[in-house]
Amino acid sequence: MAPDAFTLGGKAFASRLMTGTGKFTDFGVMREALAASGSQIVTVAIRRVELRAPGHDGLLDALDWDALQLLPNTAGCRTADEALRVARLARVATGVNWIKLEVIPDARYLLPDPVGTLRAAEALAADGFTVLPYVQADAVLARALEEAGCAAVMPLASPIGSGRGLRNPELLRTVLDGARVPIVVDAGLGVPSDAAQALELGADAVLVNTAIAEACDPVGMAHAFALGVQAGRAAFLAGRMPERAHASPSSPTSGVVRLPDPEVPL
Amino acid sequence: MTPTLTVNGEARPLTPGLTLHALLRDLNVNPSRVAVGVNDDVYPGARAPHRTLEAGDVIEIVRIIGGG
């Protein structure tokens, strides 16, 4: 096991950067970007086959799934029942029992339904799934999801695809404080410094899709996110300095060259 | 009234005796890359059973695509 490995669902991972497969212009760019990211956990969506144009889009063949942990998601589901249905279809489609659980009734901000998510998480955990629920950064909900048997909790930083970064750091702190499962910040990260900030605060990992796929150079940005995650994790382990309200000189305050104080004019 | 199935959200006439296996073949779906739901049951496409479909059955045929 690599030093400081990240353990999720009983497996150890060297990378703390999880990635999505949406919005890439083509499989070639996606494959290169995911390789540059070093990501070992990669999420995919489930959709109906187009009956008028059958065939598959080749995603299962585009990546080396022997080297990656496939993480199907329930994106697009509006209710717990839809998510349960999609999770069970995903499990037989992929042979993988991991599920990124999304129950999202709201199309404008894509904000998750906490009640439906908890209900679906309980059912899926009881059914043998490794459940990673996508939620608001809510410490009470996170504890309830732990109790339900979730393998991780995935609080959002800001709305999906918004690139607005970590808008709720105080709430994220309360989720991280005392968490007994990995906390993976998912959604809204725009630049590597956002990922670094999440890891600095103590998040175990982040999941990034749009910020890589919609960068001018997705491969370059994937590499940059890998560095941001590494920097943030290293900083967390090193322990940050305390914050102060006022300045504290970095140079010694003794032996300073002084001129006589100016005379006060008459 | 003609008996129907719902397949991926669309009504479709049901031929008496049609099996799930035969439906996938009729739809020209590559079974190795899909999952199939019949009401509350789910099957890997490659192991779709010769289950006889009934009027009113709700069928979902899904695949993996890119997403976040």
Side-chain angles (χ1 to χ4, degrees):
Chain A
M1 185 190 295
D4 189 36
F6 162 53
T7 303
L8 180 58
K11 296 184 181 180
F13 300 94
S15 171
R16 292 169 180 273
L17 174 57
M18 298 162 59
T19 47
T21 52
K23 300 180 179 171
F24 286 95
T25 51
D26 62 70
F27 284 149
V29 171
M30 180 185 74
R31 195 160 39 229
E32 272 190 70
L34 297 193
S37 77
S39 176
Q40 296 169 295
I41 303 175
V42 176
T43 192
V44 299
I46 305 292
R47 287 292 180 273
R48 285 173 166 167
V49 168
E50 282 289 336
L51 296 178
R52 287 178 192 80
H56 60 89
D57 72 355
L59 180 59
L60 278 180
D61 299 320
L63 294 171
D64 177 11
W65 295 108
D66 291 336
L68 300 171
Q69 173 66 50
L70 180 62
L71 174 59
N73 65 53
T74 67
C77 293
R78 299 162 303 177
T79 65
D81 287 340
E82 285 183 355
L84 294 177
R85 187 88 179 119
V86 168
R88 288 171 178 145
L89 286 165
R91 180 164 60 178
V92 297
T94 62
V96 171
N97 68 359
W98 288 38
I99 192 78
K100 179 157 102 79
L101 174 61
E102 301 184 24
V103 179
I104 300 181
D106 157 54
R108 182 165 170 81
Y109 295 104
L110 294 178
L111 294 176
D113 166 9
V115 178
T117 302
L118 179 58
R119 190 161 74 74
E122 287 169 341
L124 291 171
D127 193 15
F129 281 89
T130 294
V131 186
L132 293 80
Y134 170 69
V135 290
Q136 289 269 17
D138 178 324
V140 176
L141 177 61
R143 292 300 100 79
L145 290 163
E146 286 178 2
E147 292 293 326
C150 291
V153 174
M154 305 185 79
L156 62 90
S158 51
I160 293 172
S162 71
R164 289 160 62 87
L166 195 59
R167 293 300 177 118
N168 51 3
E170 298 305 324
L171 293 171
L172 179 61
R173 275 183 222 275
T174 66
V175 171
L176 293 168
D177 186 12
R180 287 165 294 168
V181 298
I183 303 299
V184 182
V185 173
D186 178 14
L189 303 180
V191 285
S193 55
D194 298 333
Q197 186 188 6
L199 273 286
E200 285 165 14
L201 289 172
D204 295 280
V206 294
L207 191 149
V208 180
N209 185 348
T210 306
I212 293 173
E214 291 190 350
C216 297
D217 171 8
V219 179
M221 189 58 84
H223 175 62
F225 264 97
L227 297 175
V229 166
Q230 288 166 23
R233 178 64 183 176
F236 172 74
L237 293 175
R240 64 152 298 149
M241 61 162 281
E243 289 188 49
R244 297 186 181 91
H246 301 291
S248 168
S250 300
S251 304
T253 50
S254 60
V256 178
V257 174
R258 292 277 187 235
L259 294 175
D261 284 344
E263 288 181 27
V264 179
L266 292 174
Chain B
M1 199 171 96
T2 314
T4 59
L5 299 168
T6 303
V7 181
N8 283 2
E10 293 182 16
R12 195 182 162 82
L14 171 63
T15 319
L18 181 71
T19 65
L20 182 58
H21 195 266
L23 174 69
L24 292 183
R25 190 194 56 213
D26 292 353
L27 292 170
N28 200 25
V29 168
N30 176 357
S32 67
R33 294 294 188 220
V34 302
V36 185
V38 182
N39 306 325
D40 290 335
D41 301 322
V42 293
Y43 308 101
R47 296 205 299 277
H50 292 276
R51 166 179 175 160
T52 304
L53 298 173
E54 294 173 19
D57 279 351
V58 177
I59 318 286
E60 292 286 349
I61 307 169
V62 303
R63 63 191 171 118
I64 302 299
I65 65 156

